[in-house]
Amino acid sequence: MIRRPRRNRQSETIRRLAQETTLSTDDLIFPLFVTEGTNKAVEVSSMPGIYRYSPDLLLKEIESCLKLGIKTFDIFPQLEESKKDKHATESYNSDGLYLRTIREIKEKLPEATIMTDVAMDPYSSDGHDGIVKDGKILNDETLVVLGKMALAQARAGADIIGPSDMMDGRVGYIRETLDDEGFTDVAIMSYSAKYASAFYGPFRDALDSAPKFGDKKSYQMNPANRREALIEAELDYAEGADFLMVKPAFSYLDIIQTLNENFPIPIAAYNVSGEYAMIKAAAQNGWLDGERAMLEMLLSIKRAGAKIILTYFAKEFALLQK
Ligand code: PBG
């Protein structure tokens, strides 16, 4: 035998030389949940190790992550039911929990890069990502709300805006709104191929944001479709997105690969709450080695073509690098 592939696997050093994909804390974005109150950290029951923090403790958490080398944070708000309405008006209330918190983080920890979420669901009394009328989700009317929300977030200091709702035309609408107000440097990471997935369950627990009726299939993509992701990505690219995201990540590695091969901007993947919960639950039962499963999951997402991974494992991963 002239060619023996095992020669390149014979020692740790040679294996490392031959290793094609590496993962670094620089690649990660840490999603965090903020809730009203002070000195409050409530663990999300379906996401062991992940908490909803009051703003003061959220700041502490970000500070400790910065020391570990995590630089970018994607923040989501959990609101009381009384703050929600049909038009998500709380989403652009500059004195509200979310925008107050973003301003405070940028003031006290300017080295943190902050990604914000643009979607109506945490603020919607219907639990949907768009305005609901007669049981239907209205597209163009929703864009107006998204524009106001994105602008308010940019004013609060957001570095990256993350439209996560899958309405048509939102990236272009938000880009134009931001540019008209002078926020030309605020980036857009578009949730381009976001699928109607069962793996968002624990996140909706964390935010109490599950739809009050129906499902999200009229705006989020059908998990059966790959080519359709090219249409979504093409539109977002043309409308000025700086990053294209695929979500969820682990069951959608082929989508990540497809977008990476077709678009010359960085591809991100959202390693969602359900993917985190699966590994945690299996590890707690002694059914999987949680640490090795996490590393393999993250590495495979990177190998598929994601340069950036949004993951609840970010802190755990960063701690392992120390
Ligand atoms: C909603 C949104 C969701 C997530 C991020 N933004 C849930 C949904 O679409 O219902 C899910 C993230 C996760 O599961 O970790 N705009």
Side-chain angles (χ1 to χ4, degrees):
M1 277 189 267
I2 300 289
R3 185 143 304 279
R4 287 181 178 270
R6 287 189 55 200
R7 272 198 290 268
N8 282 356
R9 298 178 206 139
Q10 64 186 297
S11 72
E12 181 62 24
T13 302
I14 290 183
R15 285 194 292 274
R16 283 193 188 217
L17 284 174
Q19 179 160 332
E20 298 173 33
T21 308
T22 52
L23 196 63
S24 148
T25 305
D26 291 340
D27 304 324
L28 306 182
I29 296 178
F30 195 15
L32 291 168
F33 302 122
V34 65
T35 190
E36 208 68 75
T38 45
N39 198 25
K40 219 165 98 183
V42 185
E43 193 170 33
V44 181
S45 56
S46 46
M47 302 176 76
I50 297 298
Y51 296 80
R52 300 189 283 216
Y53 293 107
S54 53
D56 54 330
L57 294 193
L58 184 79
L59 252 85
K60 287 207 172 117
E61 174 67 1
I62 291 176
E63 205 174 359
S64 93
C65 289
L66 285 167
K67 288 189 186 125
L68 293 171
I70 303 169
K71 299 284 167 58
T72 308
F73 304 87
D74 187 10
I75 321 270
F76 295 93
Q78 184 221 5
L79 300 186
E80 315 149 19
E81 240 8 77
S82 64
K83 291 263 159 46
K84 303 183 183 182
D85 62 26
K86 286 192 78 66
H87 293 85
T89 44
E90 181 67 12
S91 66
Y92 45 88
N93 169 13
S94 66
D95 296 322
L97 167 71
Y98 193 60
L99 297 171
R100 244 192 299 128
T101 305
I102 305 296
R103 272 199 307 275
E104 198 182 344
I105 299 168
K106 292 303 295 184
E107 267 163 36
K108 298 199 172 137
L109 302 167
E111 67 275 37
T113 293
I114 298 300
M115 172 164 167
T116 49
D117 192 64
V118 174
M120 285 179 57
D121 54 328
Y123 317 90
S124 153
S125 47
D126 294 307
H128 274 287
D129 293 24
I131 296 174
V132 180
K133 195 170 174 210
D134 304 327
K136 285 207 159 147
I137 313 297
L138 305 181
N139 192 88
D140 300 12
E141 291 80 350
T142 298
L143 297 185
V144 180
V145 180
L146 301 180
K148 289 183 190 172
M149 202 184 304
L151 189 57
Q153 293 172 357
R155 289 193 176 122
D159 300 285
I160 304 173
I161 302 277
S164 68
D165 61 300
M166 293 300 280
M167 294 303 129
D168 292 337
R170 72 214 194 283
V171 172
Y173 189 91
I174 291 169
R175 185 69 273 162
E176 210 173 299
T177 306
L178 293 176
D179 288 355
D180 284 350
E181 296 291 322
F183 292 105
T184 51
D185 286 340
V186 174
I188 297 178
M189 181 181 290
S190 179
Y191 289 61
S192 299
K194 177 172 179 181
Y195 288 86
S197 170
F199 291 99
Y200 308 148
F203 175 94
R204 294 178 189 171
D205 293 344
L207 297 192
D208 298 321
S209 65
K212 300 280 164 50
F213 70 89
D215 52 44
K216 298 191 175 186
K217 290 180 186 168
S218 77
Y219 40 108
Q220 298 181 347
M221 283 177 61
N222 180 346
N225 294 354
R226 185 183 66 86
R227 293 165 64 248
E228 191 184 346
L230 287 168
I231 302 177
E232 288 287 358
E234 228 168 85
L235 286 167
D236 289 354
Y237 182 74
E239 290 172 30
D242 302 283
F243 305 89
L244 302 177
M245 192 206 293
V246 174
K247 174 184 179 184
F250 201 49
S251 296
Y252 297 84
L253 299 178
D254 55 331
I255 314 298
I256 296 172
Q257 180 174 11
T258 299
L259 294 201
N260 189 46
E261 284 169 356
N262 284 283
F263 295 92
I265 52 176
I267 305 301
Y270 200 135
N271 181 212
V272 298
S273 56
E275 298 172 332
Y276 176 86
M278 281 195 300
I279 288 190
K280 285 293 169 190
Q284 281 183 351
N285 275 293
W287 297 340
L288 273 182
D289 177 332
E291 189 177 302
R292 284 186 54 210
M294 160 186 81
L295 292 172
E296 190 173 330
M297 183 182 262
L298 294 175
L299 193 67
S300 61
I301 296 167
K302 182 99 188 272
R303 189 193 65 232
K307 172 58 188 65
I308 301 159
I309 306 174
L310 295 95
T311 180
Y312 302 97
F313 287 119
K315 194 172 184 188
E316 238 175 292
F317 177 85
L319 277 165
L320 287 178
Q321 310 304 302
K322 291 284 145 180

